[in-house]
Amino acid sequence: MKDTIMRYLFVAIAILFFPKIGWAYGDCEKYISYDSLQASSKTSAKMSYINSISKQSYEQNADGIKSSITIPIEGIKVGGEGSWSKFVSKREALNTLLEWNYSFEESKQVSHRHVSSESWSAVLQCLKNKSGLFISPVQMVDNTLQLKVLYMMPEGAKDEITLDWSIVNGSVENPVTSIKRGNEAVLKITRVAGKNISIVVSGGGLVSNDIYIRQPPEIKPLPAWTVWTGYTVPPAGAHQFAPHYGHTVGQNLPTTVRCPNQSKIRAIHGPAKLDEEFFGEMIFSFEHVRNISGIHHWNIFANGDQLTPKKGASDWNAGSISISCR
């Protein structure tokens, strides 16, 4: 199962390594795969992947992301929710918590160096059966990109064309200024460190596919939890329960607790336990139910929906309530 998860993750990240693969390579993209020995568990790679998933691909569940495949990101498992809305809530919460501000297309353009050279060789071999002007990576090490350009056209087309390169934030070490029909050429491009690089070539009235390699944003650590609990003495100014709120001072539970992105709530009532996690904005509210020998019991609501144990009573010992937010 672990190998399956990693295989699907590598294939998914392939779509991220260079943008517009579907347009650039057509059915040749099926040859793109990853060298698992080079793959890493970078948070930026995983965030790029989950932010490149469309509703259609999620519902098709080809890689199992809807039903079974889970990807751990900073301790949060993404995937297997079975619901697009739940997946989106979790993704949006992570985007906010980790300050990932890239759009769908920008996320696909984040550069990761996991595509094997054997894979690109297979893609190039496939492109030789197509018509057009193509560029494709061969290998990338640090800031040096080895690239191939192919001019594949039927008889009757120009035998040789002059090439005009457009490269932003990069320089060519060995410029290829022309190419003959049916030929390919190799060149090296050095990227400006820390910058996004864009590459496209034109010639003979043709324009190649573009390669755009985007730098991942800086991933910051997840913010600390803010915790509300019935048995914690709060620091000055903190919006927490006072000592034994809901126990000896039952009516003084806060009216609501708002959690903007991620929340966990726990409570008990006898053998019954409440232990749930939510993503997206959640507002918890409380309704006093009864006082049994000084122990107050409360109903708890999450965005208006009552949280009840699977068995037993519907309310909770207020002193046992714990809510963590971030």
Side-chain angles (χ1 to χ4, degrees):
M1 181 63 180
K2 181 179 179 181
D3 290 340
T4 301
I5 293 174
M6 293 304 294
R7 178 169 63 86
Y8 278 128
L9 181 57
F10 300 151
V11 170
I13 297 176
I15 299 173
L16 310 176
F17 186 46
F18 292 104
K20 301 182 181 177
I21 281 178
W23 172 78
Y25 304 112
D27 59 0
C28 295
E29 69 175 281
K30 63 187 177 184
Y31 296 104
I32 296 174
S33 61
Y34 278 77
D35 181 352
S36 60
L37 296 177
Q38 297 180 15
S40 69
S41 58
K42 290 183 178 179
T43 299
S44 60
K46 298 175 184 179
M47 289 297 292
S48 294
Y49 170 47
I50 67 169
N51 278 284
S52 70
I53 296 174
S54 65
K55 183 177 182 180
Q56 181 180 6
S57 62
Y58 184 87
E59 296 296 350
Q60 288 175 344
N61 198 34
D63 60 0
I65 190 67
K66 177 180 180 180
S67 60
S68 57
I69 300 301
T70 58
I71 301 168
I73 303 178
E74 299 295 309
I76 297 173
K77 292 183 179 180
V78 183
E81 297 83 9
S83 161
W84 170 250
S85 62
K86 290 181 179 179
F87 170 79
V88 169
S89 292
K90 189 177 291 186
R91 180 173 68 181
E92 290 179 350
L94 272 168
N95 287 346
T96 300
L97 291 169
L98 295 176
E99 299 185 23
W100 183 274
N101 298 317
Y102 283 173
S103 68
F104 179 84
E105 287 298 326
E106 290 169 337
S107 294
K108 290 197 297 182
Q109 294 168 355
V110 173
S111 172
H112 299 288
R113 306 177 181 97
H114 301 310
V115 180
S116 66
S117 57
E118 293 81 8
S119 171
W120 287 123
S121 294
V123 171
L124 287 163
Q125 189 62 40
C126 177
L127 288 174
K128 290 178 181 179
N129 298 316
K130 309 294 181 182
S131 293
L133 182 62
F134 302 101
I135 52 177
S136 180
V138 176
Q139 188 179 39
M140 184 171 183
V141 178
D142 296 327
N143 289 311
T144 300
L145 172 65
Q146 189 175 19
L147 194 71
K148 274 194 177 183
V149 54
L150 296 84
Y151 173 42
M152 314 305 296
M153 291 295 285
E155 291 187 9
K158 294 180 180 179
D159 287 332
E160 185 173 6
I161 60 175
T162 300
L163 297 179
D164 181 21
W165 292 90
S166 176
I167 303 173
V168 179
N169 291 326
S171 58
V172 182
E173 294 184 11
N174 53 332
V176 177
T177 57
S178 64
I179 189 169
K180 293 184 176 181
R181 181 169 56 85
N183 283 8
E184 61 185 71
V186 180
L187 64 156
K188 288 184 179 180
I189 296 176
T190 301
R191 177 179 63 171
V192 177
K195 297 289 186 179
N196 303 330
I197 184 171
S198 174
I199 308 167
V200 67
V201 63
S202 60
L206 301 172
V207 179
S208 75
N209 55 295
D210 64 331
I211 292 176
Y212 192 100
I213 307 173
R214 182 179 293 276
Q215 283 291 105
E218 180 183 355
I219 302 294
K220 298 182 179 180
L222 286 172
W225 293 100
T226 297
V227 180
W228 286 261
T229 176
Y231 291 135
T232 296
V233 178
H239 297 289
Q240 293 181 321
F241 303 169
H244 300 274
Y245 268 17
H247 191 275
T248 59
V249 195
Q251 300 298 326
N252 290 330
L253 278 168
T255 303
T256 59
V257 171
R258 176 185 174 273
C259 297
N261 300 297
Q262 181 187 8
S263 53
K264 296 181 180 180
I265 183 166
R266 296 179 175 87
I268 61 173
H269 182 148
K273 294 183 179 180
L274 174 66
D275 189 352
E276 293 194 34
E277 183 176 27
F278 300 91
F279 292 91
E281 184 180 59
M282 190 64 56
I283 297 177
F284 297 99
S285 57
F286 312 92
E287 178 184 60
H288 186 259
V289 179
R290 51 186 171 161
N291 177 0
I292 303 177
S293 301
I295 298 177
H296 292 261
H297 292 255
W298 297 75
N299 290 332
I300 303 175
F301 300 87
N303 285 355
D305 296 325
Q306 188 172 355
L307 303 179
T308 59
K310 294 180 179 179
K311 296 180 180 180
S314 62
D315 54 57
W316 303 99
N317 178 342
S320 72
I321 299 171
S322 172
I323 304 174
S324 300
C325 296
R326 60 183 176 188

